Structure formats: structure tokens, C-alpha cells
């Protein structure tokens, strides 16, 4: 009963705070000085002249793969963090392609899944970075002018007042989107890798000075906060995609088309079904045969 009461109070508080934010933003937008400022800073920064237009098909595939890995990494990471007693364990076979002098350490199957997904996500991220810079698409998500700051504030005010800023993601994201995507790609992702690597067995245990400068406790705290950032980003991102022109946005992201059709929607539905299926299949009964290919699974 106490838990239900706390949840109800938290929900009511969130609704009240959200309502106050909306009312405050609408009051600000009614001020003549703010209206003039919004005319000067519409929410979009100018892009370099040679910035490519549109969302190529490879970016749509990368979007799906990154979403797929992130969702399962969050799930497996939370399972590792909250499980009292793992249902199964895994130990690497030391006779395959990867051989070490020291005996491999046993780990929970949940941790094996988490580390395997991490490796695939990092590999996919390397491919993403290479293509991003090779095609010039980086110019769409990297701030190139300081006016991105006031334009981002303008976009935030417009979102908060429930009067969305003009959307034209095929050509130019608004400044708040640019900062958000930049933070995800070039800040949060590297921090997730660096903090995860510090907690892994690959980190040198005997490097006393390095370990003192970067203690595992700090890495663990950072890793959790990065996870919470990704969760918040995914929630806000999905809500805005579906409320600011769902068909057009989904066509941009999944069908590489700047058109009002249902193609992107149905590809999105299939991708969500794949992620939901993977979420429920991430259990020992399904994972054990796969993990047994590169190690030994035990209860």
C-alpha cells in the first residue's frame, strides 16, 4: 500500500510540475520581448553549405541496429545489476580463437549477454562513425555555430509551450535535436564504453596509478547514469517522433523517403516486434544454446 501511495504521489507531482512548465512557457511566449526573440532565433541553426540533404538508407539501418542493441543492453545490464542469484553461468572455452594464459573466469549468463551485446554495439558504432564522416552526415548533428545555444533554448521553449517548432528533419534538425543527437553519439556513447571497459575483465588490474585515478566505483556510478540518460532519451525521442508528424518522421528514419506514406510506419512496426521478441527471448532457455557455441553453460 505504501508503494502504491508513493507511486500515486510521484505521478501527481509529475503532472503538476509538467502543467506548471507548460503554463510558464505559454506565459513567456505571450511577452512581446520573447516573441521578438523567437523571431530572431526560430530554433534552427544554419548548416554548412556542403551539408548533405536527406536521410540515406544506411542511416536507417544504423538507427535500427543501435536501437536494438541499446534496448537489449539496458535490459541485460539491469538484469545483471538486480539479479540476486543468476539462473545460469557461462565460462569461455580457452581452446578457441581467443586464448589466454590465465584460466577464464565464470560469469553469469546475463553478464555474458551484456558483454556480447556491448561488443556488437561497439563494432556497429565504429562502422557508424566511419560512414558518418565519410558521407558528411556528421554536419547534421555536430554544432558548427554558437547560435545553436539560443536556438536550442528557443526550441525547448516552443516544445514546452506545446506549440512545436517547425519540423524539417529531412533537411535540418532543430538546434535542440542537434545538441541531443550530438550528446548521444559523441558524449554518452563514448562514456558508456569507457565506464564499461573499466568494469570489465579486460581492464588491467595491476595498473595501480591508473586504477587510483579512475576507480571502479566512479566508473560504476557513471555507467548507471549513462544508462538512465539513454532511457530518458529513448522515451522523449519516441514520444516526439510520434507526436510531431509520425508518418513523415518514420518515413525519414526507416524508409529513407521524404513522403507521407505508410512505408516507414510498417517497417517501424516490424522493428519494434523484433525488439520485443528479443526482449522476451533474452532468457537462459534461449541463450544457452547460443552461449554454448563459444563456452560452457552451467546452472
Amino acid at each position: 500500500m505504501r508503494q502504491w501511495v508513493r507511486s500515486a504521489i510521484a505521478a501527481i507531482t509529475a503532472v503538476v510540475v509538467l502543467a506548471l512548465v507548460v503554463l510558464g512557457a505559454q506565459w513567456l511566449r505571450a511577452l512581446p520581448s520573447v516573441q521578438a526573440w523567437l523571431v530572431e532565433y526560430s530554433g534552427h541553426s544554419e548548416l554548412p553549405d556542403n551539408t548533405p540533404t536527406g536521410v540515406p538508407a544506411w542511416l536507417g539501418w544504423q538507427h535500427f541496429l543501435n536501437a536494438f542493441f541499446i534496448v537489449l543492453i539496458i535490459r541485460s545490464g539491469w538484469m545483471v545489476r538486480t539479479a540476486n542469484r543468476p539462473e545460469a553461468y557461462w565460462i569461455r572455452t580457452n581452446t578457441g580463437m581467443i586464448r589466454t594464459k590465465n584460466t577464464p573466469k565464470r560469469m553469469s549468463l546475463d553478464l555474458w549477454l551484456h558483454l556480447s551485446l556491448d561488443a556488437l554495439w561497439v563494432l556497429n558504432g565504429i562502422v557508424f562513425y566511419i560512414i558518418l564522416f565519410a558521407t558528411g552526415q556528421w554536419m547534421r548533428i555536430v554544432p558548427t555555430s554558437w547560435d545553436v545555444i539560443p536556438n536550442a533554448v528557443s526550441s525547448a521553449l516552443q516544445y514546452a509551450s506545446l506549440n512545436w517548432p517547425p519540423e524539417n528533419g529531412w533537411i535540418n534538425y532543430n538546434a535542440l535535436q542537434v545538441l541531443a543527437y550530438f550528446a548521444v553519439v559523441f558524449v554518452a556513447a563514448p562514456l558508456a564504453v569507457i565506464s564499461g571497459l573499466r568494469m570489465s575483465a579486460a581492464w588491467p588490474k595491476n595498473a595501480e596509478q591508473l586504477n587510483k585515478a579512475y576507480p571502479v566505483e566512479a566508473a560504476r556510478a557513471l555507467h548507471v547514469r549513462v544508462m538512465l540518460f539513454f532511457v530518458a532519451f529513448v522515451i522523449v525521442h519516441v514520444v516526439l517522433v510520434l507526436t510531431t508528424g509520425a508518418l513523415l518522421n518514420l518515413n525519414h528514419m526507416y524508409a529513407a523517403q521524404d513522403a507521407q506514406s505508410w512505408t516507414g510506419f510498417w517497417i517501424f512496426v516490424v522493428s519494434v516486434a523484433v525488439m520485443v521478441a528479443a526482449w522476451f527471448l533474452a532468457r537462459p532457455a534461449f541463450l544457452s544454446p547460443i552461449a554454448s557455441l563459444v563456452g560452457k553453460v552451467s546452472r
Side-chain angles (χ1 to χ4, degrees):
M1 179 61 70
R2 290 180 179 178
Q3 185 65 34
W4 281 103
V5 171
R6 291 195 191 100
S7 300
I9 293 175
I12 293 173
T13 302
V15 171
V16 171
V17 170
L18 183 60
L20 291 175
V21 168
V22 172
L23 291 174
Q26 292 178 345
W27 173 76
L28 282 174
R29 291 198 63 169
L31 299 177
S33 58
V34 175
Q35 291 178 1
W37 182 78
L38 288 174
V39 171
E40 182 177 1
Y41 298 103
S42 64
H44 289 79
S45 293
E46 291 295 326
L47 297 175
D49 294 335
N50 57 339
T51 302
T53 300
V55 181
W58 70 263
L59 193 56
W61 280 104
Q62 282 290 316
H63 183 273
F64 164 72
L65 289 173
N66 276 298
F68 179 83
F69 288 134
I70 284 294
V71 167
L72 293 184
I73 284 172
I74 291 173
R75 169 170 165 73
S76 59
W78 189 251
M79 291 165 65
V80 170
R81 184 175 177 83
T82 58
N84 293 324
R85 186 181 183 282
E87 296 183 40
Y89 294 88
W90 176 87
I91 186 169
R92 178 172 56 83
T93 302
N94 206 22
T95 57
M97 294 180 60
I98 301 177
R99 301 184 185 183
T100 57
K101 294 182 179 179
N102 299 325
T103 303
K105 293 184 178 180
R106 190 177 72 154
M107 65 180 68
S108 71
L109 194 59
D110 293 336
L111 181 57
W112 169 82
L113 175 62
H114 188 68
L115 295 177
S116 300
L117 290 168
D118 285 343
L120 293 172
W121 180 61
V122 170
L123 179 61
N124 186 66
I126 293 173
V127 174
F128 173 75
Y129 281 132
I130 292 173
I131 304 178
L132 188 73
F133 284 100
T135 60
Q137 284 287 331
W138 65 270
M139 288 182 280
R140 287 168 52 84
I141 62 171
V142 175
T144 56
S145 172
W146 285 106
D147 72 349
V148 70
I149 303 299
N151 276 300
V153 175
S154 172
S155 296
L157 180 60
Q158 294 175 69
Y159 279 125
S161 66
L162 300 184
N163 187 358
W164 309 129
E167 294 291 337
N168 193 8
W170 188 256
I171 298 176
N172 187 3
Y173 298 124
N174 69 55
L176 192 60
Q177 289 175 309
V178 171
L179 291 181
Y181 297 152
F182 177 82
V184 168
V185 175
F186 296 106
V187 180
L191 287 178
V193 174
I194 293 171
S195 57
L197 182 62
R198 176 63 181 90
M199 296 184 293
S200 73
W203 187 266
K205 305 300 181 183
N206 299 325
E208 295 183 3
Q209 295 299 324
L210 182 60
N211 292 338
K212 185 177 180 180
Y214 187 24
V216 68
E217 294 79 12
R220 187 175 293 112
L222 176 61
H223 206 63
V224 172
R225 283 162 177 76
V226 171
M227 180 200 71
L228 295 176
F229 169 80
F230 274 119
V231 171
F233 173 82
V234 169
I235 293 174
V236 174
H237 180 61
V238 171
V239 169
L240 290 179
V241 165
L242 298 179
T243 56
T244 59
L247 290 183
L248 189 61
N249 290 333
L250 292 175
N251 262 335
H252 289 174
M253 296 162 59
Y254 288 94
Q257 298 176 1
D258 187 27
Q260 289 278 1
S261 70
W262 289 87
T263 305
F265 172 81
W266 290 117
I267 298 175
F268 167 71
V269 169
V270 172
S271 71
V272 171
V274 170
M275 286 187 274
V276 170
W279 179 284
F280 285 102
L281 290 174
R283 305 174 185 277
F286 178 77
L287 294 176
S288 294
I290 301 175
S292 298
L293 299 175
V294 289
K296 182 180 179 181
V297 178
S298 61
R299 296 287 178 175

